[in-house]
Structure formats: C-alpha cells, structure tokens
Amino acid sequence: GAVVSQHPSWVICKSGTSVKIECRSLDFQATTMFWYRQFPKQSLMLMATSNEGSKATYEQGVEKDKFLINHASLTLSTLTVTSAHPEDSSFYICSANQGTGQPQHFGDGTRLSIL
Amino acid sequence: ELKVEQNPLFLSMQEEKNYTIYCNYSTTSDRLYWYRQDPGKSLESLFVLLSNGAVKQEGRLMASLDTKARLSTLHITAAVHDLSATYFCAASGNTPLVFGKGTRLSVIA
C-alpha cells in the first residue's frame, strides 16, 4: 500500500539550530503534501500545505520565514525549522494522499526537542 | 470555516461493553475520516466515509456517516484492551483536513 516516509524520527538540538525534516511518498506521486504540528495531548494542527513546484500555503499564525517548506519533486517535501527555540519543540507530522477521496497517509512523525 | 467537534474527549471503557464516539462538523464536507493514534506514534487510517449513509466496519469498529446531520459515529463493539488509543475524526471539503480534538480511549478490565 501507499507509504509516506518521514526522516528523521527524532531530533535533539541546541537552541538557534536549523533543523530539516524530510517527507517522501514512497510508491506514489504527491503534488500536495501537508505539514502538521502536534503538541502533547492535543490534536494535529495544520501548519502548511506544500505544493510541488510552487510556494507553500501557510495557515494563519504560522511564520513562513521560520518554517521553510520546499517541495521540489513529486515525491519529496522538506520542512526546515530555522533558528529553532524551545517553544518549537513538538511532534511534526507530514501527510500525502494519492488522490481525491483517498485517505491521507501520514509519516511516522518527527519528535523535535530544542534544548 | 470548517470546524470539527468530537465527543467525548475521554472515554474509559469496560471490556466487552459497547461505546460510541461522535463527530460533528460545521459545514459541508466531502469526506470524513477516522484515524487511530497510539502514544508516541503517528496516525493510522481506519476509515474513509464518502457519502451519506456510508457504513464501514473493521473488526470491533464500525463507522457511519450522516451528511444531513453532519455527524459521523465510531461504534466500538465489545471493547478489548487493544483498542486503547486516541481516535481522531477529520473532515475536508475544499480545504485540507480539519481534525477534531481526539477521543482518548482507555479500556479497563
């Protein structure tokens, strides 16, 4: 079945560091991918919609200069958290779907801890 | 703006009893999804409901959709410990998925 791969699964780094997270669709092409953030015991909050070959669409309140999204190919989207601070610590999850009416498949998530 | 409300948010279930989780959404939605999340893990797709009256079943879980009432239900039959997890419903129209707050299920003996 369709699989979305996310890497890395766990990152611990110092404040001020930039962190890149990759999201790959392994056996299908995804013109659109989604990036979510989930704080402990809360629901998923959509951060942005990643569009292949064009700029990402960010949700209200999400800083586009802090959370850089690149969707350079039909199977890869990246999220870079620039100059990360402790308040950016969270569980980041990407997703993609194969087409209309199909379920979104989620990556395994990346747990980001900023010290 | 599409909003999704789930209830209850917490559910402590006795083994072998039946329970229902409710998911209401505020505006017309093309699709309704149910996901399961185990602690520390990502989301696992359970059901996709595409039309009014749709009913899907997998094991002890059954999901249904009433688009007129803008309501989906997830029914749990004869709960077992393996079902302990957080369950999310999500809806979408011409927008990306909007998630409910999730229902944290615990099955107790």
Side-chain angles (χ1 to χ4, degrees):
Chain A
V3 177
V4 173
S5 172
Q6 194 173 335
H7 178 81
S9 57
W10 194 290
V11 179
I12 301 174
C13 58
K14 294 181 179 180
S15 185
T17 305
S18 292
V19 178
K20 179 184 283 188
I21 303 169
E22 294 187 347
C23 182
R24 295 180 184 272
S25 55
L26 293 185
D27 54 3
F28 65 98
Q29 293 182 332
T31 56
T32 303
M33 294 184 178
F34 303 94
W35 288 96
Y36 296 86
R37 180 167 53 183
Q38 186 180 32
F39 291 108
K41 298 185 180 180
Q42 293 188 21
S43 187
L44 277 71
M45 295 299 296
L46 179 67
M47 298 176 66
T49 301
S50 174
N51 304 299
E52 188 271 333
S54 64
K55 291 182 179 180
T57 304
Y58 289 83
E59 295 300 300
Q60 192 172 9
V62 178
E63 299 176 60
K64 61 181 180 181
D65 294 330
K66 181 169 185 63
F67 299 99
L68 301 179
I69 292 173
N70 184 279
H71 195 151
S73 77
L74 287 170
T75 60
L76 173 64
S77 174
T78 61
L79 168 68
T80 301
V81 183
T82 62
S83 187
H85 289 93
E87 58 265 29
D88 298 322
S89 298
S90 187
F91 191 46
Y92 292 85
I93 310 175
C94 70
S95 73
N97 63 3
Q98 290 180 275
T100 304
Q102 299 299 311
Q104 280 195 24
H105 296 280
F106 288 83
D108 287 339
T110 298
R111 191 163 303 281
L112 178 61
S113 296
I114 308 299
L115 305 178
Chain B
E1 180 188 354
L2 176 60
K3 293 184 179 180
V4 178
E5 290 190 3
Q6 258 180 267
N7 69 84
L9 299 182
F10 298 93
L11 187 54
S12 183
M13 306 186 292
Q14 289 186 318
E15 284 185 332
E16 300 302 318
K17 293 202 172 178
N18 305 330
Y19 297 87
T20 301
I21 303 172
Y22 299 90
C23 177
N24 288 92
Y25 52 97
S26 61
T27 63
T28 302
S29 174
D30 292 341
R31 298 170 286 282
L32 195 291
Y33 303 84
W34 285 96
Y35 291 92
R36 168 180 172 147
Q37 187 178 36
D38 291 296
K41 304 292 186 181
S42 188
L43 273 68
E44 173 191 352
S45 177
L46 295 176
F47 302 107
V48 182
L49 302 169
L50 300 176
S51 60
N52 187 43
V55 177
K56 291 194 174 181
Q57 184 165 3
E58 181 71 34
R60 299 174 187 269
L61 301 178
M62 184 175 71
S64 64
L65 179 62
D66 180 345
T67 58
K68 295 180 181 178
R70 295 178 184 164
L71 170 68
S72 179
T73 60
L74 180 66
H75 188 71
I76 301 152
T77 302
V80 292
H81 183 72
D82 286 352
L83 294 178
S84 296
T86 299
Y87 293 81
F88 292 95
C89 66
S92 70
N94 294 321
T95 61
L97 285 183
V98 176
F99 283 85
K101 289 187 176 181
T103 298
R104 190 181 300 271
L105 258 58
S106 295
V107 180
I108 56 177

